[in-house]
Amino acid sequence: MRWRIPAVLAVAVMGCGGPTIEARREQELQEAELAFRSNVAAIHRRDAEGYIAHYLDSPALVIAGADSLRRGFLAFAEARRASTEWPDTLIAGNPTVVWLAPGVVYGAYPYTVMQDGDTASGWSERVLVKTGGAWKVAVTSRIDRCRCD
């Protein structure tokens, strides 16, 4: 019977020592939402390096659009650096974030973008993963709802 007392004590101490899963979920949702908003802010600033820094530096990065699906950070970063195109106006609605698992959050926001006289609306989606202390976009997609010109 003596061996059970230390085991029960160890389980009780471990349960009291760390954050609950609910506390972790709430913390990660807040952190991921901040990363989401920072990603949008980099677009508003037209800050290519700041924008690129939000993405997972990995061949596994997924960039999905209406007409393509690409993979890989290097090609994505090179294309962003080479382009001078930014939206004239980006109206980003409040993101909805959903905790999928420890260190994995899905987020989406409605957007309206105006560029060169064209207007488009839809949803922008991201799957963010926690890497070290930072949240990075591992999957990004844009779903146009309408071209409103």
Side-chain angles (χ1 to χ4, degrees):
M1 211 44 161
R2 289 184 153 199
W3 62 270
R4 285 190 176 171
I5 293 172
V8 170
L9 183 58
V11 169
V13 168
M14 286 189 319
C16 296
T20 65
I21 195 73
E22 182 60 26
R24 181 174 185 179
R25 184 183 80 80
E26 287 302 317
Q27 178 182 347
E28 289 190 349
L29 283 170
Q30 290 174 6
E31 293 170 356
E33 184 171 340
L34 287 173
F36 215 99
R37 291 180 184 279
S38 180
N39 181 245
V40 171
I43 297 169
H44 285 150
R45 291 188 315 270
R46 300 175 179 196
D47 175 4
E49 292 306 316
Y51 178 75
I52 292 166
H54 287 90
Y55 290 82
L56 186 65
D57 187 350
S58 167
L61 173 67
V62 174
I63 304 100
D67 58 354
S68 69
L69 187 129
R70 298 177 318 236
R71 294 190 68 140
F73 176 81
L74 290 177
F76 164 77
E78 287 174 11
R80 180 62 269 174
R81 287 181 181 117
S83 176
T84 58
E85 289 189 28
W86 292 95
D88 297 329
T89 303
L90 169 62
I91 302 167
N94 288 325
T96 296
V97 291
V98 177
W99 191 73
L100 301 177
V104 183
V105 171
Y106 165 84
Y109 66 89
Y111 71 85
T112 300
V113 65
M114 289 157 256
Q115 186 170 0
D116 300 326
D118 292 332
T119 302
S121 294
W123 289 91
S124 187
E125 300 177 299
R126 309 273 192 280
V127 174
L128 296 108
V129 294
K130 192 169 190 176
T131 59
W135 285 88
K136 300 291 182 174
V137 176
V139 178
T140 183
S141 69
R142 175 178 162 171
I143 304 166
D144 284 338
R145 196 170 49 232
C146 70
R147 286 255 180 240
C148 310
D149 14 304

